[in-house]
């Protein structure tokens, strides 16, 4: 490797594939991605068309020098060009055997389509004849020349390319041609003449016949394209510094369209769809690169096996050009071994000689990624940790759900947020009771609501999918749906739902209850009718990767699960405990909600206690079943959290029925509802504030937990160590008070049963103040669990239920790089988490700290949790595999492991 | 000063007023407040009944020694007691001339009524006779003895004091007495016998005749009273550490009731009501201390002047005991000079001899405090800085408003929060339009609402006072009322308002529109009917103190003012600029609100621009008037902040009218309202989020500000340097974008007018994330203004509009030491302010930082702002004097200045 330029030498131009190759793949910063890649292939001894790269550092020299290339650099380029010509055996400007080159940009980071490219440079009125002669194809030569004039005049000289299109169109009309292929050699020659006249006319100067003038013009144009408004915008959006600059690659042209001994093709070294270890690719004889993808001619298979499979009658490359094929296969193996990964390759065969134009890591499906990674470990090509790093954690999620068949027709009605992955079809229902009834009648239904509330839990369970008009990625609907593994599209803002008439409208399309729709939780699309699905398939490769991931990771992974069903699902996906069991979901069952409402409407402690006594046995049995399911794994139970009004009926009709059932006046119920009304319920009477006011609720819940722990331990023979979690603590005193209530309950249960309980009492850290005073809170709290959903809401001052329109407006303007409710806002919320961890550990060095927000299933957030030294993350059951893999990658990344 | 005990010597007992005085006033930690005070007076050579103090350090010795007093300490106490006896010329237990002592507690901090006291200790069946003999008053002696038995048996021995009351009651019934004064010497002697029998009967042991046993018992009881549940609770509530312990004071008894040469009295060295420099006090001949305050006999004046003023026929002390009077006056002067402050004094004259029992700083009215402080400076007794420290800033607020006559009868209907000071009477009106009409008809009205919204501004202006059923100390009603200087009671939760019938109910009392009520913003009381008021009177003393305060303070004080009227008020109270001009209040005028609504309902940018163009000239003239009023003083203008739905009509009837006026369908208006509905508007689409989505609003406002600045500068000849403030910034990018819009507007105005503008663009720091990323934001922001109202809401996760019931529940349980919306939560919110200041200054060392929340008018918060190094605080106009004084005190305190 030549590091000369970095050390202040005057080297500016780097040869590849000629007498020497000056660079290699590691020199991306200096040579750009393309230049480094070409140098790397050349260094490996592969047949790369020779050329040279002008380094990225010249880009600023160019701008500083008044957009002129300094003479010294021109001299260096000419010397390099001579080397290239010598290698090719042609001459730049040689009338008999002209060297043609391409001039291309190549920045450190890929900026597809942003900058300029010139092909066939070196053609003029004289060399075009030489090319025709040598290629034995005048039509090819003049077609190439007219393309060059068109491209160069547009890109370098600034001509309006419409002019050239008009000339060609007129010519074809005149001749009665309809296709370019109708054009003869003479036609193209005539076009060349007209093009040159047009240049003279429009720009007031002739098209340059001086091939050196052509070269400097093209190089300057590529450097110049670094600072177009379009490129500026792209860089700004992608965080690419202007100072990086672009390199310029000048490379000898090779042609796959020089007769039947020429060809061009693309290949993957393994099957990118299935991961199978078999060459996968196509080629065309006597064609240029763009012809393979253009679809005018049908490309042929590379291997005989593939040809047989497709039943193609055209010969494979293996059969047509066996020598070249053999060389190509050897190169494939060499490249895969060299890069230790599946390659995406472009090649051209000119006159029987193979040229490698490009190799890069190939894109692949998740399924293929798993298979390739596992196979490569088994082939000894990579280590398990590398295999773990090869899988995109986010992509795993799709594997776990049914998805829409990629070939299916999509009649998109509207698009919302992709709130919970997977796709689902079913009849529209507009309320949860109907969803349940329909489900019992054996129907698939999609529950459509303006928004959902805890009262909709049973309907969400019954539905195959959930669609809401309001709410963001972490709205109630989204969070609950992800937890249940139900596909969900939320915040479809164009949706107008009319519950009264049982219809939903989008623009002028209208749907009524019972109409079938499909929602796609991967894209947020709402589709009309039934759409074909693909079922998930968890291959053995998945399991193997997860085993390696579990070996690598340090973070424990728990699940957020409220029911034994969720808990089972979570264990199936590898959860090592429950990090968040929300108890409020347990209150919505028909018999329970009445007792709950009785409690809320009681005006005395006695009344509340009487109602709570009815709830106690039900809570206890819930907890017992959960503990039994988890067989001694840790279970964190959060005490009642939501505002009480969520448990009361809000509509008049239901309110009357409830008042009657409770045996109270409707006015009393309405007054209570009015008393509980809040402007900002998120910042209101909820969390531990309920328990401070009504400690008897905590007392009942703690008793239910402890009694259940004793019963479950007897059943399973595995001791249960419940973790009782107090929500929304902001002041150490709040926690102290409630801890006392919980400890008293434990003592009472111990006294009554004669058993000894082991348990922990800790708190959610979900308010900025809790982070800032974590040292005080940790005096009494045995564990912290960061509730990053609420912490994000308060730190950013942004309600997740109201965020959708704001997020979309911010997204358009590039204010948020990523939705802060999806990936933890490390610069803001992350600082508070770090403060909380540091202060908590200062007081209590061994305090157990985890996170149980939605972020626990997001790879970047998991990486943050790992770096911040948390003990565990607790994610929705369906996100557990994502969290496991992310945790492994975080650990490997920290050790310096890469792909 | 003896610091022996601190240095580990074994000294535990400290004499005062005897052969030596071991302590002084600085030794409060060791001797407790009372002991140190007595020692100080004795050291000054004043006639203090001799005694000794057992140090606070013995308290823990007592507890550690199994609640026993160690022998070594008893020995030390006996030695001290002998010194006392020698000084008094009596003997402890001497049958002929017995020494009687009091035993009292005395902690470092005052804990009034929390701990025990024993008087007349040293009496038994023998010494009582000696006392009778020496006093020449057998009735006095036996009355003293029976009081001692009663007190001692109750406090030390744990007898039920009801028993003694029953005995006395029975005796009086038997004898046909109705008053204690009917009791003769023999009656008391009989009672003594019965009391002793009762002790034997109830406790199974005799009342101790051994006077040493009495002494140790009393001392132990005083130490023991440090840890009663009652004292524990008091300490917890007041943050007094248990480890401090209490001292015990044993002091020779003196008697003012030993005949006509004896007397007892209380005095202030100046008039505590007016501050006048004249002795103010009362005394009674032949009486005990409690008789002066008991009101059975009418006390006499101390001075002849006072006697003449009251027309009293009884002689003054000056006339009755001229020698003692002269001595007393000399002592008063000595004490005032010594303490440099007005003293509250207790004294007793026993047999012609003056004894000083107590001196302490006297409580006084605010008016008196101002006069005394100013007088003392003029007398050369204290320095101006000391005078400044003498005034309670909070108390100033009351001076600025009418208050309820302290002698007036109060018919309290209910009590809410004292949301804005002052009192007001008027007819009840339930809506703002009616308030305005009634005001125009010359009526005084109290606006009564469940809660207020920005639409009520005109009604609040028209009303003399505001009463709401909901909302805390920083609810909309409270904040706006304080800003306007209107008295307000908010969150009167018992109030049930029925707008439809035009009535309000509290329990079974009902009031209808037009009924007169009075609200007291100092106490939160709602009173029925018209109540007599006192008008405020700003004396010259007030002005003098404020001049001294302004000289001492470092913090600048600005005001939050939205209108020229507010601005004038603010300047009158000494504001040095406007720190927060909220522009939204400017949109509620009849003509403006329509244009605003048109803007909100427009679906295109063009439509919005057209509506904004109508608002522009009105905004400009508002700003111009404001700038003219402020004559070049700095003015910070906050861009539009509240959620847009606040500008739309929420009731159907009004909505129809508005739709008609706007020329749109009612359904369009309703749809817009539905679109703007939010679950948590506080965390929603408001602040800079509005401006990011609709930059044209910012463009219009910035233009109005800049055009007004140029116009006002021309009018006043004083350059206007507007400070444009972007609200609710959480991300640096938000600020960058809007800064650009504002700068563009300035450039446009400069280009159009040919004038050069000087201005600053800064931001509210009111979200935790803004504090945490202040370094990023400060890259572009030229000033920060901490919006601690919103910052408190988000940091604590507590909506101020919903906080009232939570705060009251927390207050009862001692979770909040002070309402965090009134005084800044230094441990939580304060940390974020410090982080924001530190990070902001790191990026931009000269950044101007202030605070504009409601906290800016709270003394403790102002002190915090001073210590945190802010440049200014911006308070409601009526709080400006409080802020000025608080800022001065903070600066003096920091320099180590004390009272």
């Amino acid at each position: 490797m030549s590091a000369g330029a970095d050390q202040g030498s005057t080297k500016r131009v780097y040869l590849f594939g000629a007498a020497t190759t000056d660079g290699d793949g590691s020199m991306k910063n200096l040579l750009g991605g393309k230049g480094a890649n070409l140098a790397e292939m050349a260094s490996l001894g592969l047949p790369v068309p020779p050329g040279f790269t002008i380094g990225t550092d010249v880009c600023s020299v160019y701008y500083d020098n008044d957009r002129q290339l300094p003479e010294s650099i021109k001299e260096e380029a000419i010397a390099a060009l001579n080397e290239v010509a010598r290698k090719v055996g042609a001459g730049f400007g040689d009338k008999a055997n002209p060297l043609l080159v391409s001039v291309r940009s190549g920045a450190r980071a890929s900026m597809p389509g942003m900058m300029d490219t010139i092909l066939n440079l070196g053609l003029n009125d004289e060399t075009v004849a030489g090319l025709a002669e040598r290629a034995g194809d005048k039509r090819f030569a003049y077609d190439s020349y007219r393309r060059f004039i068109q491209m160069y005049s547009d890109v370098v000289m600034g001509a309006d390319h419409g002019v050239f299109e008009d000339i060609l169109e007129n010519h074809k009309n005149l001749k009665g041609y309809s296709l370019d292929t109708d054009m003869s050699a003479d036609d193209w020659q005539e076009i060349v003449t007209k093009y040159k006249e047009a240049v003279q006319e429009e720009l007031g100067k002739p098209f340059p016949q001086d091939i050196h003038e052509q070269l400097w013009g093209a190089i300057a144009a590529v450097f110049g394209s670094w600072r177009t408004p379009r490129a500026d915008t792209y860089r700004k959006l992608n965080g690419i510094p202007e100072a990086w600059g672009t390199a310029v690659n000048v490379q000898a042209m090779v042609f796959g369209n020089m007769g039947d001994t020429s060809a061009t093709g693309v290949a993957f070294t393994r099957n990118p769809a299935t991961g199978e270890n078999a060459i996968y690719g196509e080629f065309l004889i006597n064609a240029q690169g763009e012809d393979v993808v253009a679809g005018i001619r049908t490309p042929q298979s590379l291997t005989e096996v593939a040809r047989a499979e497709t039943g193609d009658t055209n010969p494979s490359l293996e059969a047509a050009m066996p020598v070249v094929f053999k060389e190509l296969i050897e190169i494939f193996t060499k490249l895969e071994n060299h890069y230790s990964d599946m390659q995406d390759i472009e090649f051209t065969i000119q006159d029987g000689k193979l040229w490698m134009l490009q190799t890069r890591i190939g894109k692949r499906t998740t399924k293929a990624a798993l298979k390739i990674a596992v196979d490569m470990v088994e082939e000894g090509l990579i280590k398990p940790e590398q295999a773990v790093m090869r899988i995109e954690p986010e992509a795993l999620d799709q594997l776990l759900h049914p998805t829409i068949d990629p070939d299916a027709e999509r009649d998109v009605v509207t698009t919302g947020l992709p709130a919970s992955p997977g796709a689902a079809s079913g009849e529209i229902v507009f309320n949860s009771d109907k969803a349940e009834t329909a489900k019992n009648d054996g129907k698939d239904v999609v529950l459509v609501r303006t928004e959902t509330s805890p009262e909709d839990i049973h309907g969400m369970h019954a539905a195959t999918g959930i669609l809401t008009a309001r709410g963001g990625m972490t709205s109630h609907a989204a969070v609950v749906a992800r937890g249940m593994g139900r596909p969900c599209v939320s915040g479809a803002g164009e949706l107008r739902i009319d519950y009264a008439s049982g219809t939903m409208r989008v623009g002028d399309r209208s749907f009524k209850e019972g109409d079938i729709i499909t929602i796609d939780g991967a894209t947020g699309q709402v589709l009309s009718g039934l759409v074909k699905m693909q079922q998930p398939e968890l291959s053995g490769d998945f399991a193997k990767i997860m085993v390696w991931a579990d070996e690598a990771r340090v973070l424990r992974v728990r699940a957020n699960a409220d029911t034994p069903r969720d808990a089972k699902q979570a264990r199936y996906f590898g959860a090592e405990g429950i990090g968040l069991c929300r108890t409020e979901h347990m209150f919505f069952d028909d018999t329970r909600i009445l007792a709950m409402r009785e409690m809320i409407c009681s005006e005395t402690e006695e009344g509340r206690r009487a109602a709570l006594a009815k709830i106690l046995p039900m809570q206890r049995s819930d907890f017992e079943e959960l503990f039994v399911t988890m067989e001694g794994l840790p279970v964190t139970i959060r005490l009642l959290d939501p505002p009480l009004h969520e448990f009361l009926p809000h509509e008049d009709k239901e309110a009357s029925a409830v008042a009657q059932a409770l045996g109270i006046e409707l006015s009393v119920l309405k007054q209570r509802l009015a008393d509980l009304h809040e402007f900002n319920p998120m910042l209101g009477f909820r969390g531990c504030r309920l328990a401070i006011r009504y400690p008897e609720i905590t007392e009942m819940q703690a008793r239910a937990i402890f009694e259940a722990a004793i019963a479950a331990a007897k059943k399973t023979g595995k001791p249960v160590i419940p973790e009782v979690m107090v929500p929304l603590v902001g002041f150490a005193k709040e926690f102290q008070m409630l801890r006392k209530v919980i400890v008293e309950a434990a003592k009472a249960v111990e006294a009554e049963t004669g058993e000894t309980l082991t348990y922990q009492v800790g708190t959610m850290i979900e308010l900025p103040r809790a982070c800032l005073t974590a040292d005080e809170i940790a005096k009494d709290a045995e564990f912290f669990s960061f509730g990053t959903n609420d912490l994000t809401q308060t730190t950013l001052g942004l309600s997740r239920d109201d965020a959708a329109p704001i997020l979309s407006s911010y997204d358009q303007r590039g204010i948020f790089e990523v939705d802060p409710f999806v990936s933890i806002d490390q610069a803001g919320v992350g600082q508070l988490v770090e403060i909380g961890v540091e202060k908590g550990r200062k007081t209590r060095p061994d305090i157990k700290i985890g996170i149980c927000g939605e972020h626990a299933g997001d790879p970047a957030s998991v990486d943050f949790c790992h770096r911040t030294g948390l003990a565990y993350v607790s994610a929705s059951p369906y996100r557990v595999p994502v969290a496991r893999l992310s945790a492994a990658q975080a650990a490997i990344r920290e050790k310096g492991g890469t792909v």
Side-chain angles (χ1 to χ4, degrees), chain A:
Chain A
M1 161 180 169
S2 158
D6 294 324
Q7 288 163 20
S9 97
T10 54
K11 187 167 184 61
R12 303 292 199 181
V13 173
Y14 300 81
L15 275 173
F16 56 80
T20 57
T21 289
D22 299 327
D24 65 34
S26 71
M27 293 167 69
K28 264 192 187 164
N29 293 0
L30 185 62
L31 304 181
K34 184 172 201 70
N37 188 283
L38 290 165
E40 183 77 9
M41 282 203 291
S43 300
L44 290 172
L46 303 187
V48 173
F52 59 87
T53 304
I54 304 176
T56 54
D57 50 348
V58 177
C59 192
S60 57
V61 172
Y62 166 80
Y63 282 104
D64 294 348
N65 194 38
D66 212 14
R67 300 200 175 212
Q68 297 292 329
L69 219 50
E71 282 309 313
S72 62
I73 290 171
K74 285 188 181 174
E75 283 162 22
E76 222 182 321
I78 289 297
L81 191 62
N82 290 338
E83 284 298 328
V84 171
R86 191 169 305 135
K87 175 76 179 190
V88 174
F92 192 53
D94 187 315
K95 288 171 203 166
N97 186 13
L99 169 67
L100 305 190
V101 296
S102 61
V103 179
R104 288 186 171 97
S105 65
R108 208 195 275 200
S110 170
M111 292 173 59
M114 282 302 126
M115 288 179 301
D116 294 329
T117 291
I118 317 271
L119 302 178
N120 299 332
L121 188 143
L123 282 176
N124 60 15
D125 294 350
E126 290 176 337
T127 56
V128 69
L131 179 66
E133 179 69 25
R134 269 194 76 82
D137 188 346
K138 185 179 165 193
R139 187 183 178 282
F140 154 72
Y142 279 92
D143 184 16
S144 298
Y145 190 23
R146 70 95 194 176
R147 283 175 195 264
F148 169 56
I149 296 172
Q150 187 170 345
M151 202 179 259
Y152 190 94
S153 304
D154 173 14
V155 169
V156 181
M157 303 178 76
D160 174 7
H161 60 89
V163 173
F164 303 109
E165 280 156 22
D166 289 350
I167 290 169
L168 181 55
E169 213 50 44
N170 283 338
H171 186 90
K172 277 156 63 177
N173 289 344
L174 216 64
K175 298 270 184 166
Y177 299 161
S178 61
L179 297 172
D180 281 9
T181 43
D182 298 336
M183 298 280 286
S184 69
D186 291 341
D187 286 326
W188 285 128
Q189 193 165 9
E190 208 174 310
I191 289 293
V192 163
T193 307
K194 287 184 181 161
Y195 274 12
K196 287 192 293 183
E197 284 165 9
V199 170
Q200 175 70 49
E201 193 171 325
E202 185 169 354
L203 303 174
K205 56 182 176 184
F207 182 82
Q209 291 295 316
D210 178 343
I211 53 165
H212 286 97
E213 185 187 337
Q214 290 176 3
L215 180 64
W216 309 134
I219 291 173
V222 170
F223 280 136
S225 68
W226 178 249
R227 286 203 197 160
T228 59
R230 195 173 54 149
D232 283 347
T233 305
Y234 184 90
R235 270 197 303 276
K236 217 164 268 174
L237 286 175
N238 290 277
I240 300 172
E242 189 181 274
W244 280 4
T246 183
V248 179
N249 297 291
V250 179
Q251 187 177 22
M253 294 288 300
V254 290
F255 298 95
N257 56 348
M258 287 180 76
D260 288 346
T261 56
S262 297
T264 190
V266 296
F268 288 86
T269 56
R270 306 196 181 206
N271 186 315
T274 65
E276 194 195 351
N277 188 357
I279 303 288
Y280 179 93
E282 302 169 325
F283 81 107
L284 276 175
I285 288 184
N286 195 13
Q288 282 189 306
E290 57 260 41
D291 299 333
V292 180
V293 286
I296 297 168
R297 289 164 59 192
T298 303
Q300 299 156 241
S301 299
L302 289 183
T303 63
E304 269 303 286
V305 173
R307 191 199 58 73
E309 269 175 14
T310 56
D312 191 358
T313 52
N314 290 311
S316 67
L317 184 68
E318 188 173 5
M321 300 183 180
V323 178
V324 170
F325 177 78
K326 191 165 165 277
E327 187 188 359
L328 192 62
I329 295 302
E330 281 166 9
I331 288 173
F332 284 1
T333 307
K334 194 167 191 172
L335 284 171
E336 225 190 39
N337 287 341
H338 181 70
Y339 288 104
S340 309
D341 205 351
M342 186 259 268
Q343 298 295 300
D344 171 1
I345 285 162
E346 292 174 21
F347 62 91
T348 283
I349 300 160
Q350 177 178 320
D351 213 4
K353 161 97 179 104
L354 175 66
W355 294 102
M356 300 302 297
L357 301 183
Q358 168 112 306
T359 189
R360 58 186 170 193
I361 307 294
K363 292 199 190 309
R364 64 205 78 180
T365 64
T366 305
K367 199 174 152 191
L370 289 167
K371 178 162 176 52
I372 291 170
V374 169
D375 283 354
M376 285 190 168
V377 170
E378 286 169 359
E379 291 160 22
L381 215 53
I382 58 174
K383 298 206 185 104
E385 290 201 344
Q386 284 173 290
V388 166
M389 294 305 285
R390 293 277 168 87
I391 312 301
E392 180 62 50
E394 203 54 64
L396 282 190
D397 204 20
Q398 291 174 23
L399 283 187
L400 313 176
H401 299 276
T403 49
I404 291 181
D405 188 316
D407 299 330
E409 290 266 328
R410 287 172 178 246
D411 173 7
V412 179
V413 178
T414 186
T415 301
L417 300 169
S420 178
S425 298
E427 294 184 9
I428 295 172
V429 291
F430 292 108
N431 84 54
S432 289
D433 291 338
K434 282 202 183 155
E436 208 166 27
T437 313
K439 160 83 176 194
N440 293 340
D441 295 347
K443 287 179 186 163
D444 284 341
V445 293
V446 173
L447 178 64
V448 180
R449 301 280 303 165
T450 303
E451 62 243 353
T452 63
S453 79
E455 295 180 64
D456 292 314
I457 300 287
H458 63 295
M460 297 173 79
H461 248 298
T464 58
I466 296 124
L467 168 62
T468 69
R470 321 254 320 219
M473 293 291 288
T474 47
S475 61
H476 177 268
V479 171
V480 173
R482 281 197 292 275
M484 290 179 177
R486 289 285 176 289
C488 174
V489 171
S490 72
E494 293 179 324
L495 219 57
R496 299 280 172 262
I497 299 170
D498 184 349
Y499 291 132
S501 65
T503 54
M504 69 175 214
R505 272 191 313 109
V506 176
D508 49 11
R509 296 186 72 169
S510 183
F511 296 80
K512 60 181 195 308
E513 192 154 86
D515 287 352
I516 289 178
I517 56 169
T518 297
I519 59 167
D520 182 358
T523 62
Q525 287 177 346
V526 180
L527 310 163
S528 177
L530 203 66
V531 183
K532 202 180 161 203
M533 303 279 175
Q534 285 183 329
Q535 289 309 308
E537 201 184 309
L538 292 188
S539 72
D541 298 324
F542 171 82
K544 283 182 192 162
I545 289 282
M546 293 314 287
V547 166
W548 293 330
D550 288 347
E551 284 167 6
R553 72 186 156 90
V554 179
L555 270 175
R556 313 291 290 182
V557 176
R558 297 193 189 183
N560 300 344
D562 307 339
T563 63
R565 224 183 72 136
D566 290 350
K568 278 192 198 94
Q569 185 71 59
R571 290 199 67 184
Y572 173 71
F573 283 136
E576 299 164 292
I578 291 176
L580 175 63
C581 167
R582 305 175 199 87
T583 55
E584 50 270 22
H585 295 169
M586 300 177 176
F587 292 104
F588 282 98
D589 178 281
D590 269 359
T591 49
R592 299 174 182 198
I593 188 92
L594 197 67
M596 187 68 184
R597 287 166 173 173
E598 184 186 328
M599 199 260 322
I600 294 170
C601 293
S602 293
E603 286 178 4
T604 63
E605 187 181 327
E606 289 65 38
R608 285 189 296 275
R609 285 189 179 275
L612 287 165
K614 297 179 194 166
I615 302 174
L616 172 66
M618 307 189 249
Q619 280 253 301
R620 184 174 50 218
S621 91
D622 286 335
F623 292 138
E624 186 181 327
E625 212 183 328
L626 203 63
F627 291 143
V628 167
T629 305
M630 295 306 288
E631 295 180 300
L633 291 174
V635 177
T636 308
I637 294 170
R638 180 177 74 182
L639 300 178
L640 192 69
D641 184 56
L644 295 182
H645 71 80
E646 287 195 6
F647 298 96
L648 295 183
H650 286 80
E651 277 161 40
D652 276 4
K653 209 175 105 191
E654 203 190 348
S656 296
V658 167
Q660 201 170 9
L662 291 176
I664 58 174
E665 293 293 319
L666 179 58
S667 65
V668 172
L669 182 65
K670 285 195 153 181
Q671 185 57 53
R672 188 71 181 127
L673 206 52
D675 288 345
L676 289 172
H677 170 77
E678 292 180 313
F679 296 98
N680 299 291
M682 162 68 206
L683 306 177
F685 185 48
R686 52 174 285 247
C688 69
R689 297 162 190 173
L690 301 172
I692 297 274
R693 180 103 160 257
Y694 305 126
E696 52 274 15
I697 302 178
T698 299
E699 199 183 311
M700 181 280 285
Q701 291 202 294
R703 172 173 281 273
I705 292 167
F706 294 129
E707 290 178 351
I710 289 172
K714 280 192 184 147
K715 272 195 187 160
T716 62
K718 302 208 175 152
V720 177
I721 305 179
E723 300 170 351
V724 184
M725 183 155 74
V726 179
L728 209 73
V729 163
F731 291 77
K733 280 187 189 169
E734 294 171 326
F735 183 74
Q736 283 161 18
M737 270 182 206
L738 294 175
R739 180 175 205 284
K740 207 173 147 198
V741 173
I742 295 160
V743 169
E744 295 290 326
K747 281 185 190 157
V749 172
E750 284 179 331
E752 289 160 23
T753 60
E755 304 276 342
T756 304
L757 284 161
T758 309
Y759 61 96
Q760 292 195 320
V761 188
T763 178
M764 292 277 275
I765 298 285
E766 51 190 332
L767 294 175
R769 197 182 194 282
C771 298
L772 295 163
T773 60
D775 44 352
E776 287 298 316
I777 296 170
K779 284 182 185 162
D780 296 275
E782 290 163 288
F783 65 86
F784 282 174
S785 180
F786 283 94
T788 48
N789 291 351
D790 276 11
L791 190 58
T792 300
Q793 295 192 78
T794 44
T795 305
L796 273 58
L798 188 59
S799 158
R800 69 182 185 195
D801 288 325
D802 303 312
I806 298 164
L807 290 176
S808 104
S809 144
Y810 275 33
D811 194 38
Q812 282 164 27
R813 291 162 181 85
I815 293 176
F816 290 155
E817 274 145 36
V818 58
D819 180 341
F821 292 112
V822 170
S823 193
I824 200 165
D825 160 39
Q826 298 186 24
V829 176
Q831 271 192 65
L832 282 175
V833 171
E834 286 164 357
I835 289 171
V837 169
E838 189 197 319
K839 293 202 169 198
R841 295 237 165 95
K842 206 171 98 191
T843 300
R844 189 184 286 261
D846 63 343
I847 190 166
K848 184 166 61 190
I849 305 184
I851 174 183
C852 63
E854 279 293 300
H855 298 107
D858 166 67
S861 307
V862 170
D863 187 80
F864 170 81
C865 292
H866 174 84
R867 282 183 283 113
T868 310
L870 301 196
Y872 68 88
V873 297
S874 185
S876 299
Y878 276 82
R879 301 293 291 187
V880 164
V882 177
R884 287 161 68 197
L885 183 58
S886 303
Q889 293 189 349
I892 296 167
R893 207 174 286 124
E894 195 183 40
K895 288 196 298 180
T898 54
V899 183

